[in-house]
Amino acid sequence: MYVDGANLNALVAVAQPGKFGADVSHLNLHKTFCIPHGGGGPGVGPVAVRSHLAPFLPGHPLAHHDDSTVGAVSAAPFGSAGILAIPWVYISMMGPDGLLAATGDAILSANYVARRLRDVYPTLYSGPSGTVAHECILDIRGITKDTGVSVDDIAKRLMDFCFHAPTMSFPVTGTLMVEPTESESLAEVNRFIEAMLQIGVEIDSVRQGKVDIEDSPLRHAPHTVEDVVSSNWARPYSRETALFPTPLLRTRSFYPAVSRIDAVFGDRNLVCNCAPIEEYAMSLESITLS
Amino acid sequence: MPHVFDREQFLDRHLGLSSDDRAEMLRVIERDSIDDLLSATIPEQIRLRASLALGSAVPEAEVLSMLRDKFNNDVVRRNYIGQGYYGTITPPVIKRNVLENPAWYTAYTPYQPEISQGRLEAILNFQTMIAELTGLALANASLLDEATAVAEAVTMARRVSKNPSNIVLVEKDIHPQTLNVLRTRTEPVGIEIILGGLDDFTDVDAFALVVSWPASSGALASPQSVAASVAHHRSRGVITIASTDLLACAQIIPPGQLGFDVAVGSAQRFGVPMGFGGPHAAFMAVATEHARSLPGRLVGVSTDTAGRPALRLSLQTREQHIRREKATSNICTAQVLLANIAGFYGAWHGPTGLQAIARRVHALASAFASLAASKNLSLVSTDFFDTVALQTPDAQGLVSQARQHGCNIRQIDERTVSASFDETMTAQDVVTLLLAIGVNATLQDVNNSARADQNASLVRTDQFMSQSVFGRYHTEHEMLRYVRRLSDKDLALDRTMIPLGSCTMKLNSTTEMEPITWSLLADLHPYVPADESVGYRSLITDLETMLCAITGYDAVSLQPNAGSQGEFAGLLAIRAYHRSRGDINRTICLIPSSAHGTNAASAVMAGMGVVVIACDESGNVDVQDLREKADAAGERLAALMVTYPSTHGVFETAISEICEIIHQRGGQVYVDGANLNALVAVAQPGKFGADVSHLNLHKTFCIPHGGGGPGVGPVAVRSHLAPFLPGHPLAHHDDSTVGAVSAAPFGSAGILAIPWVYISMMGPDGLLAATGDAILSANYVARRLVFLKLPSVRSVRLFINAVVRCM
């Protein structure tokens, strides 16, 4: 029995795959154990087994003792050894009580988000007592069916609130999966909830026919400064709505560099190298400050 | 020809120009070569034609191991010295995202507040924290060290006190370095210090009273009697000044609540590493009625054109660039980067966290006190915060015994020692120290003897730091984002060039910056025995030698913590030199009208009178006026202070003649080295006629500006002035006849690795190339812009002059 340990953050100090029936799991040290994501790596994915599988863990020809009957899966005997200090330091500093507290807060935050949002965004799955684990899946399919507002629209509009989008359409198409983790303050979690509720208001406007989805800030999100200050602004919503959907955002310092990207165009016209120098040539006068 | 094994040279990373760029720029300014440009720009009579006597350039990839090797032989001991410097834990999120972040360390002083709102907010937090902890109305941000802060407070008191006396009363249990700097600062301006106990002062007429709270020995007097004494003196027009400890203020009644007008001290133990003496942010907090007399920088709230709240530096009209010799202080560079670190430390821990640290530290000290006290070792005071003083028949013997066991304690006098505790220490450190002084104790004993709370009469009971900033950022994500949010509001060198004339905003390279947070350099107490500072002293000796080789002077002191302090030290050297020859009336200092305002303020501090020399429309000294005023000064002529190249960015051709006029009349020539970037490897003030200069290592030698400090302002002199460089009571060799200008013997030693690494990586040829490119770029800018429509013929002429002789 193989238990995928990607969601171990909900289990640490409250349940053990090695005891509840699984024979083997991999863990993601770059999730549960604090190795940063690095913009898409590195990660460390150790494999943990019960004793009967121990002889079959990966071996390595250059390890000091290699009695494994299975070959190596990495070039180095201990894989990405250079970053193993990160989880070591984390676990050392947390201790058993700290790890339990972290799991508790991760599950609390996820349930808080699910509860605060459920009137606008129903939670797709919950356990028998109505709770979720360390993350919650918000079901957007009803909204899309009623209004045409897609998970994409919501995800991109969140960028105008200076948020990164939740996981989109995984594991279920038409949903958003939110994992607040134990490390966010209530202020930050509330800021997220309020952004989602504000987006809910914008969805309502579409639902009630006040705004056509194609003209809505949702469909045009995210907004760049260049678009919004353009003299040709002709959208039915205000520039303030575009850039400052809540008053607190008036002091924001982050703005997306580009607006919604055409993925299909890029696939049809494949360019995967920096442009040659000639394409960067411009006149001295046209150079502006970054 | 380069060899295949040669490493890449740092010079190519430091210089912004490629050889193609250089050729194009030379074409625009119509010069054949850099050498042709230098010949046209620098008067031939001062031009250096030899190569600088420096070692050849060390590759960037090798320089740090060379530096580290210097520290290999340092003995390491546990340090309980205290005396104003304490171990501290820089919260890692602050260390990496502020101290090691170019968005913070490469910013300039926030004179342009619209693009400085981030660090202005951080500074405002610091001011608020200081005011709250000291129990006073408002605080500045910031001063250079605790000792100069006391001196600034005393000179402020002289300005505001209605008592006409020239006497300052100083309670004698004060840090010796503070007293030394205070003597250096007060003597030239005719202020007399009377040292004694509070009881001795009752009937003495004075304008100021200085009390250490807690005292240097750690003792805490009865708050009621201190408050009574303060009230008594205040009623006689005396300005009452407390020198205090910020962490103690989290636990004991703070100076403001004892009635003091002013509190000063160091914020070092709030997350700023000791760095063998600095840099650290000192502070001054005052009661409301003294707000407008407060020296140094002060951030305040205003509004922008749309009515939004906006921060900026307040009350700039007090400062020396406007008020010159009537300024409230000569302080220009502050310690902004360190003040910001301390402010973030306060936000990170909040009032409750600070109280917990204070309790922990006091508990360690109390456990030590109760276990150490015996018939041979008696407690000097039963009330203390973090420092426990012990009477012993043989203080020196006990210090050596502790040292042999790997512990440094402080010797106060022949019969008194003290030990200080800080947040880096554990119960085990108490056991270790007890064993080192011959007391057997176990961890269990220490745990049982610890008492975290103060006596009821001493304990602080009010709420402090209740502002939201001190309650919001206690988790790492919140702090990380707060620091980022603030720095996003600011423009620093990580986003753009900063074309500030006379500020030399050149590259502060990563390799130059790296060593300052090495534990080897960061965690050393300034008063450790010599065998623990072998590396530092080797680094310092190297740097002194390098700076002599560059400037042509014979001796350098690295003690001054900023250019203003270097100026003051230079003028003190001139004053002491004249006095050593019996010329006690030589007190007139000539200063051109184009000079930086700090010059005039420094001259006044050194007890000199300022006479202003006219300048022509290009900013050159009017030689005729100089000659007349020097003649008029006659036997009273002390010095001329002149900036070279001038503050107008021009190499004056008359510089040699100017020096000669002064020398012929018995005066000394002070050349302000603020503009040394135009001189390095092409001319040497120590050879072309000057007697003394200060340099700004935070300009020419790559120490970053830190958003308004730290700086280092060494003073360099010719041999006849060398005996008059600043001394220090705690230096291992002190034969100077002039006192200290900084609390630490080597000032801001913690950042001296930056210029050392820079000069080592550049080598003599690289430094010459840098000067050439700096002059080339200035001339290129001037030439490109001269074709713009200018408002008057005069401006055009000025620009053309600039093109020919631009620094």
Coordinates of all heavy atoms in Angstrom, one line a residue, chain A residues 265-272:
Chain A
F265 N -1.6 31.3 -28.4 CA -0.7 32.0 -29.3 C 0.7 31.5 -29.1 O 1.4 31.2 -30.0 CB -0.8 33.5 -29.1 CG 0.2 34.3 -30.0 CD1 -0.2 34.7 -31.3 CD2 1.4 34.6 -29.5 CE1 0.7 35.4 -32.0 CE2 2.4 35.3 -30.3 CZ 2.0 35.7 -31.6
G266 N 1.1 31.5 -27.8 CA 2.5 31.1 -27.5 C 2.8 29.7 -28.0 O 3.9 29.4 -28.4
D267 N 1.8 28.8 -27.8 CA 2.0 27.4 -28.2 C 2.1 27.3 -29.8 O 2.9 26.5 -30.3 CB 0.9 26.5 -27.7 CG 1.0 26.3 -26.2 OD1 2.1 26.6 -25.7 OD2 0.1 25.8 -25.6
R268 N 1.3 28.1 -30.4 CA 1.3 28.0 -31.9 C 2.6 28.6 -32.5 O 3.1 28.2 -33.6 CB 0.1 28.8 -32.5 CG -1.2 28.0 -32.3 CD -2.3 28.6 -33.2 NE -3.5 27.9 -32.9 CZ -4.7 28.5 -32.7 NH1 -4.7 29.9 -32.9 NH2 -5.8 27.9 -32.5
N269 N 3.2 29.6 -31.8 CA 4.4 30.3 -32.3 C 5.5 30.1 -31.3 O 5.8 31.0 -30.5 CB 4.1 31.8 -32.5 CG 2.9 32.1 -33.4 OD1 3.0 32.1 -34.6 ND2 1.7 32.2 -32.7
L270 N 6.0 28.9 -31.3 CA 7.0 28.5 -30.2 C 8.3 29.3 -30.3 O 9.0 29.3 -31.3 CB 7.3 27.0 -30.3 CG 7.9 26.4 -29.1 CD1 6.9 26.5 -27.9 CD2 8.2 24.9 -29.4
V271 N 8.5 30.1 -29.3 CA 9.8 30.9 -29.1 C 10.3 30.6 -27.7 O 9.7 30.9 -26.8 CB 9.6 32.4 -29.3 CG1 11.0 33.1 -29.1 CG2 9.1 32.7 -30.7
C272 N 11.5 29.9 -27.7 CA 12.0 29.6 -26.3 C 13.4 30.0 -26.1 O 14.2 29.4 -25.4 CB 11.9 28.0 -26.1 SG 10.2 27.5 -26.2

